[in-house]
Amino acid sequence: MPHRVAVLALDGLLPFELGIPQRIFGRSLGSDPLNGGRKLYEVVTCSVRPPGPVRTDADFTITVERGPETLATADTVVIPASYELGPVYTEGRLTGELAAAFAHIRPGTRMVSICTGSYVLAAAGYLDGRPATTHWSSADHFQRLFPEVMVDPDVLFIDDGDVLTSAGVAAGIDLCLHIVRRDHGAAVANDVARRTVVPPHRDGGQAQYIQRPVPEAGVATTATARTWALGRLEHPILLRDMARQESMSVRTFTRRFREEVGVSPVQWLTRQRIERARQLLESTDLSIDQVARDAGFGTSTSLRQHLQAALGVSPTVYRRTFRAGRN
């Protein structure tokens, strides 16, 4: 049976964020040749009340056809942002409706928040003593309201195993794609990203607030250098070579790159090579040495060190775990 994702629609919800789980999980299809095309997730939307209208922050309401008892059937529960959280936002406590709804959730259910949906998870006690994030503009208030939560306002999302939180809006897409990648591998996640026309992977540790997310008109960007580097990850890539693609000095290029991407060129290159290695480990039978060369790490020792630092596992264990998950 497909993994069931229940999205909890609260009054004051943001329609865009409510639609993210359906768009990402609902479009995730199996890539196995024997059952390719099967839906990997079933996405359902429910309310804290019996079926009926739910207010949005826009000039329309939506009709939700399922009540809170749906949460009892969920393998994953997603809480999108809402602008009408009431005592959850002001006092850090659940309303009676929310508490009754959460009572339906089974132990071990994966809990996910998008943007200020993290307030609901914190008020319900899911984030006590755990790392979490939320929209950067709410981080200080969130930390004061929930001092027992280890808030990191500088990341796109945090994966703490069975509880995952994300920053605002687009970071919810990043988190949902990350979950698909974690559940079913890079090939499935990349396929969803291509059809959704979004980047297939933005690392959770990337900064939320990037100084120059959209380049100013007439200002040179580093996009050409990034495209050039992605096409030759298996080769040595020097910082001066990337800067040369944009006809910039190394100093100017490094500053502009960080402004646009949120990390240094070296950090970005390492992440792209880790992603390439993951794809090769998942989808090919290449030896670890060959994967290391094709991903640009040069040696299996270097690949092992970087993968261990990023994911906490060796290449062999990563490949074995992924393939065991598919079987």
Side-chain angles (χ1 to χ4, degrees):
M1 296 293 294
H3 182 104
R4 194 169 222 221
V5 177
V7 185
L8 186 59
L10 303 174
D11 281 327
L13 64 85
L14 284 66
F16 180 90
E17 297 185 15
L18 178 68
I20 289 172
Q22 177 61 54
R23 180 70 192 189
I24 301 302
F25 296 121
R27 297 297 181 92
S28 298
L29 305 177
S31 58
D32 191 310
L34 296 179
N35 54 13
R38 67 182 175 89
K39 285 197 171 185
L40 299 174
Y41 301 91
E42 177 192 14
V43 184
V44 295
T45 305
C46 63
S47 171
V48 295
R49 299 185 296 271
V54 173
R55 294 189 302 275
T56 73
D57 78 325
D59 62 343
F60 57 85
T61 62
I62 63 171
T63 300
V64 177
E65 299 180 352
R66 295 178 177 85
E69 64 281 354
T70 301
L71 295 173
T73 67
D75 301 301
T76 294
V77 172
V78 180
I79 317 285
S82 164
Y83 284 152
E84 296 182 21
L85 292 176
V88 172
Y89 185 85
T90 57
E91 303 172 34
R93 64 175 179 85
L94 296 180
T95 63
E97 281 184 332
L98 266 172
F102 268 66
H104 290 283
I105 299 174
R106 298 172 297 172
T109 300
R110 182 165 59 190
M111 304 298 293
V112 178
S113 68
I114 298 176
C115 195
T116 56
S118 56
Y119 279 79
V120 179
L121 292 186
Y126 282 96
L127 300 181
D128 289 353
R130 305 182 78 154
T133 193
T134 190
H135 193 284
W136 62 267
S137 66
S138 300
D140 288 343
H141 176 265
F142 185 89
Q143 185 66 89
R144 291 194 302 272
L145 194 62
F146 303 107
E148 65 280 8
V149 180
M150 296 180 286
V151 182
D152 187 345
D154 297 323
V155 296
L156 296 177
F157 60 82
I158 290 178
D159 180 346
D160 197 39
D162 59 340
V163 179
L164 302 92
T165 54
S166 73
V169 196
I173 298 176
D174 296 317
L175 177 55
C176 289
L177 283 171
H178 166 78
I179 292 172
V180 173
R181 185 180 297 104
R182 195 179 90 170
D183 289 350
H184 299 288
V188 174
N190 290 349
D191 178 64
V192 177
R194 280 193 299 270
R195 287 186 283 114
T196 311
V197 197
V198 295
H201 179 62
R202 288 201 300 168
D203 189 85
Q206 182 170 320
Q208 277 194 45
Y209 184 74
I210 301 173
Q211 184 176 343
R212 197 191 301 269
V214 179
E216 299 172 9
V219 174
T221 76
T222 61
T224 298
R226 295 198 299 274
T227 300
W228 174 83
L230 287 173
R232 49 179 295 114
L233 286 178
E234 69 276 18
H235 301 292
I237 298 176
L238 300 178
L239 188 54
R240 66 171 179 267
D241 295 330
M242 294 184 69
R244 190 178 297 119
Q245 305 306 311
E246 306 292 358
S247 300
M248 295 180 188
S249 69
V250 169
R251 182 176 180 179
T252 299
F253 176 80
T254 301
R255 174 174 54 80
R256 188 67 53 77
F257 193 100
R258 186 178 287 277
E259 289 174 350
E260 293 180 356
V261 182
V263 296
S264 72
V266 173
Q267 290 172 316
W268 179 83
L269 271 174
T270 299
R271 291 174 182 176
Q272 304 312 309
R273 284 174 164 150
I274 289 172
E275 184 66 14
R276 172 73 61 82
R278 291 174 67 174
Q279 294 174 9
L280 293 173
L281 289 169
E282 293 173 12
S283 61
T284 75
D285 293 317
L286 295 174
S287 69
I288 302 301
D289 286 333
Q290 187 61 54
V291 169
R293 288 192 292 271
D294 288 355
F297 287 112
T299 67
S300 59
T301 299
S302 178
L303 171 60
R304 188 176 300 108
Q305 291 172 343
H306 282 92
L307 206 65
Q308 186 72 42
L311 305 177
V313 296
S314 69
T316 301
V317 171
Y318 181 86
R319 171 175 273 170
R320 185 187 308 126
T321 301
F322 174 74
R323 293 191 173 180
R326 293 184 63 182
N327 298 333

